Amino acid sequence: MEEIRYRSTRNEKDVVTASQAILNGLSRDGGLYMPEKIPALDIVPAVLAGLSYQETAYEVMRRFYTDFTEEELKYCIAHAYDSKFDTEEIAPLAEADGAYYLELFHGPTIAFKDMALSILPYLMTTAAKKNEIRNEIVILTATSGDTGKAALAGFADVPRTKIIVFFPEDGVSPVQKKQMVTQKGDNTFVVGVRGNFDDCQSGVKAMFGDKGLEAELDRKGYQFSSANSINIGRLIPQVVYYVYAYGRLLAGRKIREGEAIHVVVPTGNFGNILAAYLAKGMGIPIERLICASNDNRVLTDFFETGVYDKNRPFVLTSSPSMDILISSNLERLIYEIAGKDAEKTSALMERLKSEGRYELTADMREKLGDFVGGSAAEAEVSAEIAGVYQKTGYLLDTHTAVASKVYRDYVGRTGDAKKAVIASTASPYKFTRSVMTAVDPAYGAMGDFELADALSRLSKTEVPRAIEEIRSAEVLHKTVCEVDGMETEVRRFLGL
C-alpha cells in the first residue's frame, strides 16, 4: 500500500503521518491536515456489494491510515462497530418517498457522530503508542449538539485521556443538553457557554494555537487533541458510510455497476459532506454533492456566489447541529481547489478571521462544479417532516428534513432525478418536540419524555436506549461560563 502522508492546509512544510495527524488534531499553524493524495478504492463492485460495514471500514481506512498495521486497524474497527449499535448493519438504508435515507443514528448517542467517535478513541490511543507519547491526551472540543455527547461517550474513562466539551448553553435541544450534562466518567468535563457554537469553536481554536498554553500543558504532562471533525481521525471514518451506502445499493440491485448517484448532506461544519467528496475522489460514482443548509445559509450563498461571508445574523433553529456560520472543514475543500496551495489557503483564512469574508477566484469556482447548495427555512422543515410522514409513515429528524427538502427542491428545479442517498444524521427521538409538533401541533402540550413515548407509538419503533438512560439521570456537570472564561475552566479542570 502506497504511503499517504498528511499536510497542513496552511503550511506546506508541515507534513506528518496519519497517526501523528490524529494525535495533533490541528496543525501548529492552525491549519487542518489533508492527505497528500486521495487513494483509489480499487475494489471490484461485486466485491464491494458483499462487504459488511466493518469490512468496508477496513478497506477505506487502510488506504488512508497507511502507518497503521492490519492488526491495529482491525482491532480498532472491531471494538468500535459492535453491539453498542442497535442494528447489525450499523448504517441501514431506508427507502422512503423516492429517496434512500442512510440512517447514521443507530449508535449509543443516536446521532451520526457515533459513526466516527466510536472509533476515534481506539485510533488515538493506538496512535499514542505508535508515537511513544508519554503525555496524557486532553480532548478539547466544541459542539453544536451531537459531537459533544458522542465524544464524551467514546472517551469516558479511557485511560490516559481527559475530555473537555464546550457547548452553547441555550443553543442545543433539551435532549442533547441532558445527554451531555449527565455524562459519567472521572475524566469528563462539560461546560455550557453563554454564546453560540461559533464562539465555542473560536475559543477552542484559540487555545490550540496558544504556544504558551501548549508549553505549560507539556510541563504538566498534558497535550491537546481534538474530537471535532477538524481531526482527520474523525473525517476518514465518515468516508466509510458513503462507500458502504453505494455497496448496499448495488447489493439490493437498486443501481447498476458504475451508475452515478447524488449524495445529500445536512451541513454545518462541512465535515460530513467533505467525507462524501473524498469518497467520490476514491472512485465512488457520486455525481452531485448537495449541501443542505437551514436558515443559517452561509454555505448555500457560498456555492451560489463564490463568496463566503459570515457577517450575518446567527439564527437559532430546530436543527441546532447546523447552526454554524464558520464551517471549519470548508478550509480543506478550499485547499484542494486552490491546487493544494497552503499560502493561498492561509491568506483566505486570515481574511475570514480579520474581515469575516473571502471571495474565490474564478479558477477556484470552476472546481466546485460537483457541489450544489440549497437551504430550507423553519416552516419548510416542519412541512417536510409532516409531508414525508403522511405519505410513508417514515419520521425524519429536523436535520434530515432540511436535506430532504433541499433535495426535492433540486429535483423540481433541475428535473435531475438520479437516485439519491440522503444522510439521515440524527434520530427523531433526539428532537422529539420539533418532530412531533410538525406532525401535529397538539403534541406541544406534552413533556419531552412523554413526546418520546408518543413518537414510539406513532413510528412503531422502540424508544432508544440513549433516551431511556437520561429519563432520570442525575445532572453531573453544572459549569457555565462566558466566552472569555473558557480557558479559565480548562485550567481549573486540569489543575494548571
Side-chain angles (χ1 to χ4, degrees), residues 22 116-125 137-141 147-165 183-188 225-228 231 234:
I22 289 168
L117 281 164
S118 290
I119 196 168
L120 183 60
Y122 295 101
L123 292 172
M124 195 166 282
T125 51
I137 297 167
V138 179
I139 305 298
L140 188 64
T141 290
T147 288
K149 174 58 181 178
L152 287 161
F155 281 93
D157 294 322
V158 171
R160 297 196 56 73
T161 69
K162 293 189 188 304
I163 177 164
I164 304 170
V165 170
Q183 177 64 52
K184 295 177 181 178
D186 291 340
N187 65 335
T188 65
S225 191
S226 173
N228 284 85
N231 192 317
R234 267 280 306 277

Side-chain angles (χ1 to χ4, degrees), residues 132-148:
E132 299 181 346
I133 298 299
R134 292 177 174 81
N135 283 345
E136 191 165 333
I137 297 167
V138 179
I139 305 298
L140 188 64
T141 290
T143 183
S144 54
D146 288 334
T147 288

Side-chain angles (χ1 to χ4, degrees), residues 290-311:
I290 301 174
C291 178
S293 300
N294 59 20
D295 278 318
N296 293 291
R297 44 174 288 141
V298 63
L299 287 167
T300 302
D301 294 342
F302 169 74
F303 285 114
E304 288 178 354
T305 67
V307 176
Y308 193 94
D309 190 349
K310 76 175 186 72
N311 300 314

Side-chain angles (χ1 to χ4, degrees), residues 432-487:
T432 49
R433 186 163 301 282
S434 296
V435 170
M436 295 299 284
T437 54
V439 173
D440 185 343
Y443 283 112
M446 289 186 175
D448 289 322
F449 292 106
E450 284 181 289
L451 284 168
D453 294 330
L455 194 156
S456 175
R457 293 191 293 271
L458 204 64
S459 63
K460 298 180 175 60
T461 59
E462 286 187 25
V463 177
R465 189 167 62 239
I467 299 297
E468 295 291 3
E469 286 173 351
I470 62 170
R471 280 186 193 264
S472 57
E474 180 187 357
V475 173
L476 302 173
H477 302 274
K478 300 176 183 178
T479 304
V480 179
C481 74
E482 304 297 334
V483 175
D484 61 6
M486 291 171 62
E487 184 178 326

Side-chain angles (χ1 to χ4, degrees), residues 6-16 27-34 36 211 331 335 340-347:
Y6 291 79
R7 197 178 291 270
S8 168
T9 53
R10 301 188 193 182
N11 180 359
E12 63 179 18
K13 294 178 182 176
D14 185 355
V15 185
V16 297
S27 68
R28 289 190 169 211
D29 48 65
L32 309 185
Y33 288 111
M34 271 296 277
E36 290 186 317
K211 299 296 187 287
E331 179 173 340
Y335 175 72
K340 300 185 188 296
D341 187 328
E343 189 175 341
K344 185 183 287 188
T345 305
S346 184

